[in-house]
Amino acid sequence: MSNKDVSVVLAHGAWADGSSWARVITALDAEGITAVAAPLPLTSLADDVAALNRTLDRVEGPVVLAGHAYAGAVIAETRSPRIKALVYVAALAPDEGETVADVFYRAPPHPFAPKLAPDTSGLIWLPEPAFASAFAQGARAEDLAVLAAVQRPISPACITVPVGRPLWKDVPSWFLVAEEDRMIAPETQRGMAARMKAAVRSHAVDHTPIVTAPKLVADIIREAIGALA
C-alpha cells in the first residue's frame, strides 16, 4: 500500500475550524498524500460525529483519521470499517461511559488556562487573550490573529455526553503528547495514551502543534500511514 492509496481525514477541536490544519495539509500534499479537514459544527457530540461521517463518505480507500484536542472524542465515535489508524494530537480520549469533561478536568488547570463558561446563548467561547497565553503560546502573532478570528464556540452538549466503545480499542493509534500544553495537562495526555496502548510521541510543543509544529504532526500521520503497509 502506498501513500497515494490512503486518505487522511483531519478533525479540528474546540475553538477552531478546519483551517487550523492548513500547514499539516500542505505538508502531506507535498508528498502526494490526500488530506481532507472535516468541518465540525461543535453543536453536540452526535452532530460532530455525523459531520465527520459525511466527510468520510466523501473520501476513498483506507483512512488514517486524526483528531486535535476535543476531536479525539469525535474520531473514536465513528464506526467506519475503512478507518485503519487513529492519530491523536494533544487530544482527549474518553473511555466508554466517560465524558469529554471527565478527562479534560482530570488534572488541576494550568495557571494560564482560561476560565470557561457558557455565554447567554449557551455556547462556550475561548477568551481572546487565551489564544496567546494557553491555546497556542508558541504561535506567531499573525497565526494568533487568525485563530482568534475564526474560532467556533463549543456547546456543552459536546463535552457532557458519555461516549460509547471508543474506536481506539479496535484499531492502532498514535498519540502526540504536547509536553507544554496549557489546556490539557500533559500528565492527562500520557495517562490516556497509556490506556489506549497508543504509540506515543512526546514533544515540547504547545496545545496546538497543528499550527505551531505542523511537521511533527505530519511526521506522525506519515508514520501511521507507513504502518498500514
Side-chain angles (χ1 to χ4, degrees):
M1 186 183 301
S2 74
N3 288 354
K4 291 182 170 57
D5 297 322
V6 179
S7 294
V8 175
V9 175
L10 310 165
H12 63 82
W15 310 301
D17 66 8
S19 67
S20 59
W21 287 99
R23 291 202 180 106
V24 176
I25 292 168
T26 54
L28 295 173
D29 181 71
E31 299 184 29
I33 300 170
T34 299
V36 177
L40 306 184
L42 304 180
T43 46
S44 74
L45 182 59
D47 289 348
D48 292 338
V49 174
L52 176 57
N53 286 336
R54 288 192 294 271
T55 297
L56 290 167
D57 288 343
R58 293 178 50 230
V59 302
E60 298 179 350
V63 173
V64 170
L65 181 55
H68 172 238
Y70 156 72
V74 181
I75 65 174
E77 285 284 286
T78 186
R79 294 294 175 262
S80 171
R82 291 167 46 232
I83 298 167
K84 304 304 180 184
L86 299 173
V87 177
Y88 283 69
V89 182
L92 293 162
D95 202 347
E96 186 169 6
E98 291 181 332
T99 69
V100 172
D102 288 338
V103 286
F104 182 74
Y105 290 109
R106 184 154 288 163
H110 188 278
F112 291 163
K115 289 181 170 56
L116 302 169
D119 66 6
T120 55
S121 298
L123 299 173
I124 304 168
W125 295 83
L126 192 69
E128 188 161 339
F131 283 97
S133 64
F135 191 80
Q137 72 268 19
R140 301 177 302 187
E142 55 265 40
D143 291 327
L144 290 168
V146 172
L147 287 168
V150 304
Q151 78 154 304
R152 289 184 180 178
I154 188 168
S155 167
C158 295
I159 64 173
T160 56
V161 178
V163 304
R165 177 185 171 85
L167 187 61
W168 48 258
K169 293 190 173 184
D170 302 311
V171 302
S173 301
W174 280 255
F175 201 116
L176 190 163
V177 174
E179 295 290 352
E180 296 178 2
D181 198 320
R182 297 175 181 176
M183 296 292 293
I184 302 171
E187 60 264 34
T188 297
Q189 295 180 42
R190 288 191 289 270
M192 291 184 294
R195 73 178 180 183
M196 294 166 66
K197 300 180 174 58
V200 177
R201 304 293 178 260
S202 294
H203 294 285
V205 292
D206 62 23
H207 176 66
T208 314
I210 59 176
V211 173
T212 58
K215 183 182 182 302
L216 291 178
V217 178
D219 286 347
I220 294 174
I221 292 171
R222 208 164 36 243
E223 184 181 339
I225 294 172
L228 301 186

